[in-house]
Amino acid sequence: SLGSKTNFLINGLTNDLQNMGFSSVDLDVYSIPGSQGQKKECKANLKWHMSADDKDGHFASQLGQLTAKSVAADTTAATTLEEWETSKSEMLAKIQSACIDRANNKFDSAVVNLFSYRPGSATCMEYTESVKYGFN
């Protein structure tokens, strides 16, 4: 008996992927409930080491080189922080202006609207989504 095609594919692919230099190979078959019954899916979870050099010529080593190059070229953190600093400076200027106005009008407090967004809007995502950069 050859067994099932699923087992044959999972075992064969796992061995081949390990031989390609991946540091971790996990092929997983799972069920997904749906309106037309359960559906089976197989996903491959793969990891490779990030490295600037390709010593062994494996596919995973090439991916490690690409990852290292991509991480080195990522300017997300710098540009995002620059944008956020600009926004913060604009808000501080708005706060100072409002406070000066209130003090000139004989008040010792101020309420200043800094920003607003609607849930689900593009502006909401700008203020609530995490900014990811660098490795993983």
Side-chain angles (χ1 to χ4, degrees):
S1 168
L2 290 174
S4 73
K5 183 176 182 178
T6 300
N7 288 339
F8 172 81
L9 289 172
I10 288 176
N11 291 333
L13 285 169
T14 299
N15 289 334
D16 288 349
L17 290 166
Q18 287 170 339
N19 290 335
M20 293 171 76
F22 287 97
S23 59
S24 173
V25 176
D26 180 30
L27 273 69
D28 190 26
V29 177
Y30 56 94
S31 298
I32 300 174
S35 60
Q36 298 176 339
Q38 290 211 349
K39 173 180 156 184
K40 296 280 188 178
E41 283 195 0
C42 180
K43 287 193 177 179
N45 297 305
L46 308 166
K47 289 203 61 91
W48 56 88
H49 295 290
M50 187 174 75
S51 175
D53 59 329
D54 176 15
K55 293 179 183 172
D56 56 18
H58 286 128
F59 179 65
S61 295
Q62 294 169 8
L63 294 174
Q65 284 183 298
L66 290 173
T67 303
K69 186 176 179 180
S70 178
V71 168
D74 186 2
T75 62
T76 303
T79 56
T80 300
L81 288 174
E82 185 178 316
E83 290 171 13
W84 288 358
E85 286 293 337
T86 300
S87 293
K88 187 174 72 169
S89 294
E90 291 167 355
M91 288 179 194
L92 285 172
K94 187 176 182 180
I95 289 169
Q96 290 172 337
S97 175
C99 289
I100 289 169
D101 185 51
R102 292 284 291 172
N104 283 332
N105 286 305
K106 303 176 190 159
F107 292 97
D108 66 352
S109 63
V111 175
V112 183
N113 293 328
L114 299 176
F115 60 87
S116 64
Y117 55 83
R118 286 192 171 80
S121 69
T123 306
C124 175
M125 305 226 350
E126 175 187 340
Y127 281 97
T128 60
E129 270 194 0
S130 292
V131 174
K132 297 180 179 166
Y133 62 93
F135 187 56
N136 284 337

